[in-house]
Amino acid sequence: MIVRTTRKSCFYTWEQLFRGNKMRGRQVNPDFFNKARQGSTHEQSIVSNSSLTKKFQQARREGHLNLSSVKPSLVEVPRQVFHLDEALEEGEKFWEIEPLRSLDISFNAITSIPTAVGNLTTCHTIKARSNKLTGPLPAELFTECVALRILDLSQNELSPTIPEEIGRLQDLRDLSLGTNKLIRVPQSLFYLPNLRVLDLSHNQLQELPPGLSCTTLVSLNVAHNRLSMIPSLAALTALESVNCSSNQLQFLPDLSTLVQLKSLDASQNQLTDFPLLPRRQSKLNQLVLSYNRLTDVDMTTLELQGQLSEFLIHNNSLTVLPAEIEALQALKVLDVSNNDLQDLPATLGYITPLQILKLEGNRIKTIRQTLLQKNCQDIKAYLRTRGPSLIHPHETEEDGLAPSAAPSAAASYRSTSATGIARQQPTPSSPPVNT
């Protein structure tokens, strides 16, 4: 409660008045100030209840209930959430009540979800992120709330798993379980027929169930777990984004069938083998393999990534950057910093779209350091003076840059030296003379 004094145009709290009088040596009555504090708390409670009442009235009119970030924070879900047709306010009519379609109780201090959540049979969205949910979650959430399309339970303390009944949510599209304490997830989760987005990041998962067959899944995030392997993803043909960074992976499953894949982040693992990337009509746009144990770049599938614009492979143990990297004619960002590279291929200078090239932290001795510290265009211009393009071998620096090549241009590459650097063969100035 705020008290306005009569002598000054300012406001004080009861706590400030109590301390101020005590410091001035004045006699104070603790009981008076304690009652004042209680009255202040009671007034806050009244304001809070009044605010909730308005939210419930709005929910009955519109079918959407937003109880996120309530002050003071909710420690339990109010009973009225599940019984909106009770305790109507003056002027409200029960036949005008809209069925509840979305509920947001995020950013509170709620510790559990009651079984009464089964009453929300028409609700298609439930958000309960950033609470203190520990589980177990009631089975009614999955067996009765069959209209759910979006379920957000992230940033809680759920452990060790979620009920197998989650497989009953046949219409579920978006499931967020990130930042919990899950050790495993049920296999039924990967059989949901309409699931598109699955976030399991920042948990304690040690494995994923085998036989993943959610053919509608577009985004899979399992970053920041304890996974040592990922089962086959071959059946997940709709996948566009895979984030498996910050795990303990030593290899990735075969990704060659994921023709819709646009983004792959496998950074901060223990990879020693270059992954098998999509082979047919690849749409891969971003590839992040930084902070692993890779020693080479396998161009077998990389040269087919005609739409790749960002390739991050810094902080590995690369010794050679192959000349065939010129096949990446859509590449805009290349980060090979903090590796063991000793030289750069001349063909790198013929990737026209390349705008950002990071090279620091290598052992390149064949190019002056002052040049390596210049901008990308200057480095590319120098590299073009060292050798021809593999796609357009007769193009020179004076003739101008060759036009962008199609992804299939890799097939026309000439053979390169063992170091992977393309070198121009000298042309004799005159025919040899017979003696």
mmCIF file with all atom_site columns, all heavy atoms in Angstrom, residues 3-25:
data_model
loop_
_atom_site.group_PDB
_atom_site.id
_atom_site.type_symbol
_atom_site.label_atom_id
_atom_site.label_alt_id
_atom_site.label_comp_id
_atom_site.label_asym_id
_atom_site.label_entity_id
_atom_site.label_seq_id
_atom_site.pdbx_PDB_ins_code
_atom_site.Cartn_x
_atom_site.Cartn_y
_atom_site.Cartn_z
_atom_site.occupancy
_atom_site.B_iso_or_equiv
_atom_site.pdbx_formal_charge
_atom_site.auth_seq_id
_atom_site.auth_comp_id
_atom_site.auth_asym_id
_atom_site.auth_atom_id
_atom_site.pdbx_PDB_model_num
ATOM 1   N N   . VAL A 1 3  ? 1.315  5.327  0.845  1.00 0.00 ? 3  VAL A N   1
ATOM 2   C CA  . VAL A 1 3  ? 0.761  6.387  1.705  1.00 0.00 ? 3  VAL A CA  1
ATOM 3   C C   . VAL A 1 3  ? 1.293  7.717  1.234  1.00 0.00 ? 3  VAL A C   1
ATOM 4   O O   . VAL A 1 3  ? 2.516  7.874  1.052  1.00 0.00 ? 3  VAL A O   1
ATOM 5   C CB  . VAL A 1 3  ? 1.157  6.163  3.180  1.00 0.00 ? 3  VAL A CB  1
ATOM 6   C CG1 . VAL A 1 3  ? 0.560  7.251  4.048  1.00 0.00 ? 3  VAL A CG1 1
ATOM 7   C CG2 . VAL A 1 3  ? 0.688  4.798  3.637  1.00 0.00 ? 3  VAL A CG2 1
ATOM 8   N N   . ARG A 1 4  ? 0.433  8.683  1.041  1.00 0.00 ? 4  ARG A N   1
ATOM 9   C CA  . ARG A 1 4  ? 0.869  10.021 0.625  1.00 0.00 ? 4  ARG A CA  1
ATOM 10  C C   . ARG A 1 4  ? 0.932  10.914 1.864  1.00 0.00 ? 4  ARG A C   1
ATOM 11  O O   . ARG A 1 4  ? -0.005 11.012 2.624  1.00 0.00 ? 4  ARG A O   1
ATOM 12  C CB  . ARG A 1 4  ? -0.098 10.616 -0.400 1.00 0.00 ? 4  ARG A CB  1
ATOM 13  C CG  . ARG A 1 4  ? 0.353  11.991 -0.880 1.00 0.00 ? 4  ARG A CG  1
ATOM 14  C CD  . ARG A 1 4  ? -0.464 12.483 -2.038 1.00 0.00 ? 4  ARG A CD  1
ATOM 15  N NE  . ARG A 1 4  ? 0.020  13.783 -2.489 1.00 0.00 ? 4  ARG A NE  1
ATOM 16  C CZ  . ARG A 1 4  ? -0.430 14.397 -3.562 1.00 0.00 ? 4  ARG A CZ  1
ATOM 17  N NH1 . ARG A 1 4  ? -1.372 13.820 -4.289 1.00 0.00 ? 4  ARG A NH1 1
ATOM 18  N NH2 . ARG A 1 4  ? 0.055  15.568 -3.902 1.00 0.00 ? 4  ARG A NH2 1
ATOM 19  N N   . THR A 1 5  ? 2.077  11.552 2.050  1.00 0.00 ? 5  THR A N   1
ATOM 20  C CA  . THR A 1 5  ? 2.243  12.448 3.205  1.00 0.00 ? 5  THR A CA  1
ATOM 21  C C   . THR A 1 5  ? 1.629  13.799 2.899  1.00 0.00 ? 5  THR A C   1
ATOM 22  O O   . THR A 1 5  ? 1.449  14.180 1.746  1.00 0.00 ? 5  THR A O   1
ATOM 23  C CB  . THR A 1 5  ? 3.728  12.631 3.529  1.00 0.00 ? 5  THR A CB  1
ATOM 24  O OG1 . THR A 1 5  ? 4.345  13.284 2.428  1.00 0.00 ? 5  THR A OG1 1
ATOM 25  C CG2 . THR A 1 5  ? 4.399  11.291 3.776  1.00 0.00 ? 5  THR A CG2 1
ATOM 26  N N   . THR A 1 6  ? 1.340  14.572 3.963  1.00 0.00 ? 6  THR A N   1
ATOM 27  C CA  . THR A 1 6  ? 0.717  15.883 3.780  1.00 0.00 ? 6  THR A CA  1
ATOM 28  C C   . THR A 1 6  ? 1.747  16.997 3.652  1.00 0.00 ? 6  THR A C   1
ATOM 29  O O   . THR A 1 6  ? 1.461  18.050 3.117  1.00 0.00 ? 6  THR A O   1
ATOM 30  C CB  . THR A 1 6  ? -0.196 16.209 4.970  1.00 0.00 ? 6  THR A CB  1
ATOM 31  O OG1 . THR A 1 6  ? 0.581  16.140 6.165  1.00 0.00 ? 6  THR A OG1 1
ATOM 32  C CG2 . THR A 1 6  ? -1.331 15.207 5.053  1.00 0.00 ? 6  THR A CG2 1
ATOM 33  N N   . ARG A 1 7  ? 2.996  16.763 4.133  1.00 0.00 ? 7  ARG A N   1
ATOM 34  C CA  . ARG A 1 7  ? 3.989  17.831 4.151  1.00 0.00 ? 7  ARG A CA  1
ATOM 35  C C   . ARG A 1 7  ? 4.781  17.886 2.843  1.00 0.00 ? 7  ARG A C   1
ATOM 36  O O   . ARG A 1 7  ? 5.274  18.927 2.462  1.00 0.00 ? 7  ARG A O   1
ATOM 37  C CB  . ARG A 1 7  ? 4.956  17.608 5.312  1.00 0.00 ? 7  ARG A CB  1
ATOM 38  C CG  . ARG A 1 7  ? 4.267  17.706 6.670  1.00 0.00 ? 7  ARG A CG  1
ATOM 39  C CD  . ARG A 1 7  ? 5.250  17.525 7.789  1.00 0.00 ? 7  ARG A CD  1
ATOM 40  N NE  . ARG A 1 7  ? 6.261  18.598 7.795  1.00 0.00 ? 7  ARG A NE  1
ATOM 41  C CZ  . ARG A 1 7  ? 7.284  18.631 8.630  1.00 0.00 ? 7  ARG A CZ  1
ATOM 42  N NH1 . ARG A 1 7  ? 7.456  17.668 9.507  1.00 0.00 ? 7  ARG A NH1 1
ATOM 43  N NH2 . ARG A 1 7  ? 8.156  19.632 8.577  1.00 0.00 ? 7  ARG A NH2 1
ATOM 44  N N   . LYS A 1 8  ? 4.950  16.785 2.157  1.00 0.00 ? 8  LYS A N   1
ATOM 45  C CA  . LYS A 1 8  ? 5.714  16.760 0.919  1.00 0.00 ? 8  LYS A CA  1
ATOM 46  C C   . LYS A 1 8  ? 4.890  16.076 -0.166 1.00 0.00 ? 8  LYS A C   1
ATOM 47  O O   . LYS A 1 8  ? 4.119  15.185 0.107  1.00 0.00 ? 8  LYS A O   1
ATOM 48  C CB  . LYS A 1 8  ? 7.039  15.993 1.101  1.00 0.00 ? 8  LYS A CB  1
ATOM 49  C CG  . LYS A 1 8  ? 8.006  16.690 2.062  1.00 0.00 ? 8  LYS A CG  1
ATOM 50  C CD  . LYS A 1 8  ? 9.297  15.898 2.147  1.00 0.00 ? 8  LYS A CD  1
ATOM 51  C CE  . LYS A 1 8  ? 10.295 16.562 3.097  1.00 0.00 ? 8  LYS A CE  1
ATOM 52  N NZ  . LYS A 1 8  ? 11.543 15.796 3.182  1.00 0.00 ? 8  LYS A NZ  1
ATOM 53  N N   . SER A 1 9  ? 5.136  16.532 -1.387 1.00 0.00 ? 9  SER A N   1
ATOM 54  C CA  . SER A 1 9  ? 4.422  15.937 -2.508 1.00 0.00 ? 9  SER A CA  1
ATOM 55  C C   . SER A 1 9  ? 5.179  14.699 -2.988 1.00 0.00 ? 9  SER A C   1
ATOM 56  O O   . SER A 1 9  ? 5.873  14.717 -3.997 1.00 0.00 ? 9  SER A O   1
ATOM 57  C CB  . SER A 1 9  ? 4.292  16.950 -3.648 1.00 0.00 ? 9  SER A CB  1
ATOM 58  O OG  . SER A 1 9  ? 3.633  16.379 -4.737 1.00 0.00 ? 9  SER A OG  1
ATOM 59  N N   . CYS A 1 10 ? 5.112  13.621 -2.210 1.00 0.00 ? 10 CYS A N   1
ATOM 60  C CA  . CYS A 1 10 ? 5.773  12.376 -2.569 1.00 0.00 ? 10 CYS A CA  1
ATOM 61  C C   . CYS A 1 10 ? 5.040  11.226 -1.902 1.00 0.00 ? 10 CYS A C   1
ATOM 62  O O   . CYS A 1 10 ? 4.130  11.444 -1.093 1.00 0.00 ? 10 CYS A O   1
ATOM 63  C CB  . CYS A 1 10 ? 7.255  12.391 -2.171 1.00 0.00 ? 10 CYS A CB  1
ATOM 64  S SG  . CYS A 1 10 ? 7.529  12.685 -0.423 1.00 0.00 ? 10 CYS A SG  1
ATOM 65  N N   . PHE A 1 11 ? 5.453  10.020 -2.201 1.00 0.00 ? 11 PHE A N   1
ATOM 66  C CA  . PHE A 1 11 ? 4.774  8.837  -1.698 1.00 0.00 ? 11 PHE A CA  1
ATOM 67  C C   . PHE A 1 11 ? 5.745  7.968  -0.931 1.00 0.00 ? 11 PHE A C   1
ATOM 68  O O   . PHE A 1 11 ? 6.923  7.874  -1.276 1.00 0.00 ? 11 PHE A O   1
ATOM 69  C CB  . PHE A 1 11 ? 4.167  8.052  -2.871 1.00 0.00 ? 11 PHE A CB  1
ATOM 70  C CG  . PHE A 1 11 ? 3.073  8.788  -3.585 1.00 0.00 ? 11 PHE A CG  1
ATOM 71  C CD1 . PHE A 1 11 ? 3.386  9.674  -4.606 1.00 0.00 ? 11 PHE A CD1 1
ATOM 72  C CD2 . PHE A 1 11 ? 1.761  8.610  -3.218 1.00 0.00 ? 11 PHE A CD2 1
ATOM 73  C CE1 . PHE A 1 11 ? 2.390  10.366 -5.259 1.00 0.00 ? 11 PHE A CE1 1
ATOM 74  C CE2 . PHE A 1 11 ? 0.758  9.298  -3.872 1.00 0.00 ? 11 PHE A CE2 1
ATOM 75  C CZ  . PHE A 1 11 ? 1.069  10.179 -4.885 1.00 0.00 ? 11 PHE A CZ  1
ATOM 76  N N   . TYR A 1 12 ? 5.257  7.315  0.114  1.00 0.00 ? 12 TYR A N   1
ATOM 77  C CA  . TYR A 1 12 ? 6.070  6.413  0.916  1.00 0.00 ? 12 TYR A CA  1
ATOM 78  C C   . TYR A 1 12 ? 5.306  5.116  1.121  1.00 0.00 ? 12 TYR A C   1
ATOM 79  O O   . TYR A 1 12 ? 4.080  5.108  1.200  1.00 0.00 ? 12 TYR A O   1
ATOM 80  C CB  . TYR A 1 12 ? 6.397  7.019  2.297  1.00 0.00 ? 12 TYR A CB  1
ATOM 81  C CG  . TYR A 1 12 ? 7.248  8.276  2.233  1.00 0.00 ? 12 TYR A CG  1
ATOM 82  C CD1 . TYR A 1 12 ? 6.663  9.533  2.285  1.00 0.00 ? 12 TYR A CD1 1
ATOM 83  C CD2 . TYR A 1 12 ? 8.625  8.175  2.135  1.00 0.00 ? 12 TYR A CD2 1
ATOM 84  C CE1 . TYR A 1 12 ? 7.443  10.679 2.227  1.00 0.00 ? 12 TYR A CE1 1
ATOM 85  C CE2 . TYR A 1 12 ? 9.414  9.308  2.081  1.00 0.00 ? 12 TYR A CE2 1
ATOM 86  C CZ  . TYR A 1 12 ? 8.817  10.562 2.123  1.00 0.00 ? 12 TYR A CZ  1
ATOM 87  O OH  . TYR A 1 12 ? 9.595  11.677 2.065  1.00 0.00 ? 12 TYR A OH  1
ATOM 88  N N   . THR A 1 13 ? 6.065  4.030  1.273  1.00 0.00 ? 13 THR A N   1
ATOM 89  C CA  . THR A 1 13 ? 5.447  2.773  1.660  1.00 0.00 ? 13 THR A CA  1
ATOM 90  C C   . THR A 1 13 ? 5.394  2.700  3.172  1.00 0.00 ? 13 THR A C   1
ATOM 91  O O   . THR A 1 13 ? 6.074  3.471  3.882  1.00 0.00 ? 13 THR A O   1
ATOM 92  C CB  . THR A 1 13 ? 6.248  1.587  1.118  1.00 0.00 ? 13 THR A CB  1
ATOM 93  O OG1 . THR A 1 13 ? 7.529  1.572  1.748  1.00 0.00 ? 13 THR A OG1 1
ATOM 94  C CG2 . THR A 1 13 ? 6.430  1.678  -0.397 1.00 0.00 ? 13 THR A CG2 1
ATOM 95  N N   . TRP A 1 14 ? 4.607  1.761  3.718  1.00 0.00 ? 14 TRP A N   1
ATOM 96  C CA  . TRP A 1 14 ? 4.542  1.591  5.173  1.00 0.00 ? 14 TRP A CA  1
ATOM 97  C C   . TRP A 1 14 ? 5.905  1.206  5.727  1.00 0.00 ? 14 TRP A C   1
ATOM 98  O O   . TRP A 1 14 ? 6.289  1.607  6.821  1.00 0.00 ? 14 TRP A O   1
ATOM 99  C CB  . TRP A 1 14 ? 3.508  0.518  5.525  1.00 0.00 ? 14 TRP A CB  1
ATOM 100 C CG  . TRP A 1 14 ? 2.083  0.990  5.350  1.00 0.00 ? 14 TRP A CG  1
ATOM 101 C CD1 . TRP A 1 14 ? 1.192  0.565  4.435  1.00 0.00 ? 14 TRP A CD1 1
ATOM 102 C CD2 . TRP A 1 14 ? 1.418  2.002  6.121  1.00 0.00 ? 14 TRP A CD2 1
ATOM 103 N NE1 . TRP A 1 14 ? 0.004  1.226  4.569  1.00 0.00 ? 14 TRP A NE1 1
ATOM 104 C CE2 . TRP A 1 14 ? 0.111  2.118  5.601  1.00 0.00 ? 14 TRP A CE2 1
ATOM 105 C CE3 . TRP A 1 14 ? 1.801  2.822  7.199  1.00 0.00 ? 14 TRP A CE3 1
ATOM 106 C CZ2 . TRP A 1 14 ? -0.815 3.022  6.121  1.00 0.00 ? 14 TRP A CZ2 1
ATOM 107 C CZ3 . TRP A 1 14 ? 0.869  3.702  7.712  1.00 0.00 ? 14 TRP A CZ3 1
ATOM 108 C CH2 . TRP A 1 14 ? -0.409 3.800  7.171  1.00 0.00 ? 14 TRP A CH2 1
ATOM 109 N N   . GLU A 1 15 ? 6.674  0.433  4.983  1.00 0.00 ? 15 GLU A N   1
ATOM 110 C CA  . GLU A 1 15 ? 8.004  0.037  5.441  1.00 0.00 ? 15 GLU A CA  1
ATOM 111 C C   . GLU A 1 15 ? 8.901  1.256  5.597  1.00 0.00 ? 15 GLU A C   1
ATOM 112 O O   . GLU A 1 15 ? 9.638  1.395  6.571  1.00 0.00 ? 15 GLU A O   1
ATOM 113 C CB  . GLU A 1 15 ? 8.632  -0.951 4.440  1.00 0.00 ? 15 GLU A CB  1
ATOM 114 C CG  . GLU A 1 15 ? 7.955  -2.313 4.390  1.00 0.00 ? 15 GLU A CG  1
ATOM 115 C CD  . GLU A 1 15 ? 8.295  -3.142 5.620  1.00 0.00 ? 15 GLU A CD  1
ATOM 116 O OE1 . GLU A 1 15 ? 9.180  -2.749 6.377  1.00 0.00 ? 15 GLU A OE1 1
ATOM 117 O OE2 . GLU A 1 15 ? 7.646  -4.193 5.807  1.00 0.00 ? 15 GLU A OE2 1
ATOM 118 N N   . GLN A 1 16 ? 8.848  2.181  4.618  1.00 0.00 ? 16 GLN A N   1
ATOM 119 C CA  . GLN A 1 16 ? 9.678  3.380  4.694  1.00 0.00 ? 16 GLN A CA  1
ATOM 120 C C   . GLN A 1 16 ? 9.278  4.258  5.872  1.00 0.00 ? 16 GLN A C   1
ATOM 121 O O   . GLN A 1 16 ? 10.131 4.815  6.564  1.00 0.00 ? 16 GLN A O   1
ATOM 122 C CB  . GLN A 1 16 ? 9.576  4.142  3.376  1.00 0.00 ? 16 GLN A CB  1
ATOM 123 C CG  . GLN A 1 16 ? 10.262 3.433  2.207  1.00 0.00 ? 16 GLN A CG  1
ATOM 124 C CD  . GLN A 1 16 ? 9.949  4.094  0.890  1.00 0.00 ? 16 GLN A CD  1
ATOM 125 O OE1 . GLN A 1 16 ? 8.870  4.651  0.703  1.00 0.00 ? 16 GLN A OE1 1
ATOM 126 N NE2 . GLN A 1 16 ? 10.901 4.022  -0.038 1.00 0.00 ? 16 GLN A NE2 1
ATOM 127 N N   . LEU A 1 17 ? 7.988  4.392  6.102  1.00 0.00 ? 17 LEU A N   1
ATOM 128 C CA  . LEU A 1 17 ? 7.532  5.196  7.239  1.00 0.00 ? 17 LEU A CA  1
ATOM 129 C C   . LEU A 1 17 ? 7.970  4.581  8.562  1.00 0.00 ? 17 LEU A C   1
ATOM 130 O O   . LEU A 1 17 ? 8.403  5.279  9.484  1.00 0.00 ? 17 LEU A O   1
ATOM 131 C CB  . LEU A 1 17 ? 6.001  5.330  7.214  1.00 0.00 ? 17 LEU A CB  1
ATOM 132 C CG  . LEU A 1 17 ? 5.428  6.241  6.113  1.00 0.00 ? 17 LEU A CG  1
ATOM 133 C CD1 . LEU A 1 17 ? 3.908  6.134  6.095  1.00 0.00 ? 17 LEU A CD1 1
ATOM 134 C CD2 . LEU A 1 17 ? 5.856  7.682  6.334  1.00 0.00 ? 17 LEU A CD2 1
ATOM 135 N N   . PHE A 1 18 ? 7.889  3.254  8.670  1.00 0.00 ? 18 PHE A N   1
ATOM 136 C CA  . PHE A 1 18 ? 8.281  2.571  9.900  1.00 0.00 ? 18 PHE A CA  1
ATOM 137 C C   . PHE A 1 18 ? 9.769  2.780  10.178 1.00 0.00 ? 18 PHE A C   1
ATOM 138 O O   . PHE A 1 18 ? 10.170 3.154  11.271 1.00 0.00 ? 18 PHE A O   1
ATOM 139 C CB  . PHE A 1 18 ? 7.969  1.074  9.774  1.00 0.00 ? 18 PHE A CB  1
ATOM 140 C CG  . PHE A 1 18 ? 8.292  0.288  11.015 1.00 0.00 ? 18 PHE A CG  1
ATOM 141 C CD1 . PHE A 1 18 ? 7.400  0.243  12.069 1.00 0.00 ? 18 PHE A CD1 1
ATOM 142 C CD2 . PHE A 1 18 ? 9.492  -0.384 11.128 1.00 0.00 ? 18 PHE A CD2 1
ATOM 143 C CE1 . PHE A 1 18 ? 7.697  -0.477 13.216 1.00 0.00 ? 18 PHE A CE1 1
ATOM 144 C CE2 . PHE A 1 18 ? 9.803  -1.113 12.265 1.00 0.00 ? 18 PHE A CE2 1
ATOM 145 C CZ  . PHE A 1 18 ? 8.903  -1.146 13.322 1.00 0.00 ? 18 PHE A CZ  1
ATOM 146 N N   . ARG A 1 19 ? 10.615 2.581  9.172  1.00 0.00 ? 19 ARG A N   1
ATOM 147 C CA  . ARG A 1 19 ? 12.053 2.741  9.370  1.00 0.00 ? 19 ARG A CA  1
ATOM 148 C C   . ARG A 1 19 ? 12.411 4.196  9.648  1.00 0.00 ? 19 ARG A C   1
ATOM 149 O O   . ARG A 1 19 ? 13.260 4.495  10.479 1.00 0.00 ? 19 ARG A O   1
ATOM 150 C CB  . ARG A 1 19 ? 12.807 2.235  8.144  1.00 0.00 ? 19 ARG A CB  1
ATOM 151 C CG  . ARG A 1 19 ? 12.797 0.717  7.992  1.00 0.00 ? 19 ARG A CG  1
ATOM 152 C CD  . ARG A 1 19 ? 13.866 0.264  7.011  1.00 0.00 ? 19 ARG A CD  1
ATOM 153 N NE  . ARG A 1 19 ? 13.653 0.864  5.694  1.00 0.00 ? 19 ARG A NE  1
ATOM 154 C CZ  . ARG A 1 19 ? 12.974 0.289  4.725  1.00 0.00 ? 19 ARG A CZ  1
ATOM 155 N NH1 . ARG A 1 19 ? 12.426 -0.897 4.917  1.00 0.00 ? 19 ARG A NH1 1
ATOM 156 N NH2 . ARG A 1 19 ? 12.829 0.881  3.557  1.00 0.00 ? 19 ARG A NH2 1
ATOM 157 N N   . GLY A 1 20 ? 11.746 5.119  8.903  1.00 0.00 ? 20 GLY A N   1
ATOM 158 C CA  . GLY A 1 20 ? 12.049 6.537  9.088  1.00 0.00 ? 20 GLY A CA  1
ATOM 159 C C   . GLY A 1 20 ? 11.748 7.014  10.502 1.00 0.00 ? 20 GLY A C   1
ATOM 160 O O   . GLY A 1 20 ? 12.551 7.709  11.132 1.00 0.00 ? 20 GLY A O   1
ATOM 161 N N   . ASN A 1 21 ? 10.591 6.648  11.044 1.00 0.00 ? 21 ASN A N   1
ATOM 162 C CA  . ASN A 1 21 ? 10.235 7.061  12.412 1.00 0.00 ? 21 ASN A CA  1
ATOM 163 C C   . ASN A 1 21 ? 11.179 6.435  13.429 1.00 0.00 ? 21 ASN A C   1
ATOM 164 O O   . ASN A 1 21 ? 11.585 7.080  14.405 1.00 0.00 ? 21 ASN A O   1
ATOM 165 C CB  . ASN A 1 21 ? 8.792  6.653  12.725 1.00 0.00 ? 21 ASN A CB  1
ATOM 166 C CG  . ASN A 1 21 ? 7.790  7.586  12.062 1.00 0.00 ? 21 ASN A CG  1
ATOM 167 O OD1 . ASN A 1 21 ? 7.995  8.793  12.058 1.00 0.00 ? 21 ASN A OD1 1
ATOM 168 N ND2 . ASN A 1 21 ? 6.733  7.034  11.506 1.00 0.00 ? 21 ASN A ND2 1
ATOM 169 N N   . LYS A 1 22 ? 11.557 5.175  13.202 1.00 0.00 ? 22 LYS A N   1
ATOM 170 C CA  . LYS A 1 22 ? 12.433 4.508  14.158 1.00 0.00 ? 22 LYS A CA  1
ATOM 171 C C   . LYS A 1 22 ? 13.810 5.150  14.159 1.00 0.00 ? 22 LYS A C   1
ATOM 172 O O   . LYS A 1 22 ? 14.430 5.329  15.210 1.00 0.00 ? 22 LYS A O   1
ATOM 173 C CB  . LYS A 1 22 ? 12.532 3.022  13.794 1.00 0.00 ? 22 LYS A CB  1
ATOM 174 C CG  . LYS A 1 22 ? 13.171 2.189  14.887 1.00 0.00 ? 22 LYS A CG  1
ATOM 175 C CD  . LYS A 1 22 ? 13.039 0.712  14.567 1.00 0.00 ? 22 LYS A CD  1
ATOM 176 C CE  . LYS A 1 22 ? 13.624 -0.122 15.713 1.00 0.00 ? 22 LYS A CE  1
ATOM 177 N NZ  . LYS A 1 22 ? 13.517 -1.567 15.431 1.00 0.00 ? 22 LYS A NZ  1
ATOM 178 N N   . MET A 1 23 ? 14.342 5.547  12.993 1.00 0.00 ? 23 MET A N   1
ATOM 179 C CA  . MET A 1 23 ? 15.668 6.162  12.911 1.00 0.00 ? 23 MET A CA  1
ATOM 180 C C   . MET A 1 23 ? 15.670 7.537  13.554 1.00 0.00 ? 23 MET A C   1
ATOM 181 O O   . MET A 1 23 ? 16.694 7.988  14.062 1.00 0.00 ? 23 MET A O   1
ATOM 182 C CB  . MET A 1 23 ? 16.095 6.270  11.441 1.00 0.00 ? 23 MET A CB  1
ATOM 183 C CG  . MET A 1 23 ? 16.436 4.921  10.798 1.00 0.00 ? 23 MET A CG  1
ATOM 184 S SD  . MET A 1 23 ? 16.841 5.071  9.047  1.00 0.00 ? 23 MET A SD  1
ATOM 185 C CE  . MET A 1 23 ? 18.325 6.084  9.175  1.00 0.00 ? 23 MET A CE  1
ATOM 186 N N   . ARG A 1 24 ? 14.531 8.232  13.541 1.00 0.00 ? 24 ARG A N   1
ATOM 187 C CA  . ARG A 1 24 ? 14.459 9.569  14.150 1.00 0.00 ? 24 ARG A CA  1
ATOM 188 C C   . ARG A 1 24 ? 14.230 9.495  15.664 1.00 0.00 ? 24 ARG A C   1
ATOM 189 O O   . ARG A 1 24 ? 14.086 10.510 16.331 1.00 0.00 ? 24 ARG A O   1
ATOM 190 C CB  . ARG A 1 24 ? 13.335 10.376 13.490 1.00 0.00 ? 24 ARG A CB  1
ATOM 191 C CG  . ARG A 1 24 ? 13.619 10.713 12.034 1.00 0.00 ? 24 ARG A CG  1
ATOM 192 C CD  . ARG A 1 24 ? 12.505 11.574 11.473 1.00 0.00 ? 24 ARG A CD  1
ATOM 193 N NE  . ARG A 1 24 ? 12.748 11.929 10.089 1.00 0.00 ? 24 ARG A NE  1
ATOM 194 C CZ  . ARG A 1 24 ? 12.351 11.223 9.047  1.00 0.00 ? 24 ARG A CZ  1
ATOM 195 N NH1 . ARG A 1 24 ? 11.673 10.102 9.251  1.00 0.00 ? 24 ARG A NH1 1
ATOM 196 N NH2 . ARG A 1 24 ? 12.626 11.625 7.821  1.00 0.00 ? 24 ARG A NH2 1
ATOM 197 N N   . GLY A 1 25 ? 14.200 8.320  16.211 1.00 0.00 ? 25 GLY A N   1
ATOM 198 C CA  . GLY A 1 25 ? 14.042 8.174  17.657 1.00 0.00 ? 25 GLY A CA  1
ATOM 199 C C   . GLY A 1 25 ? 12.624 8.345  18.136 1.00 0.00 ? 25 GLY A C   1
ATOM 200 O O   . GLY A 1 25 ? 12.383 8.490  19.344 1.00 0.00 ? 25 GLY A O   1
#
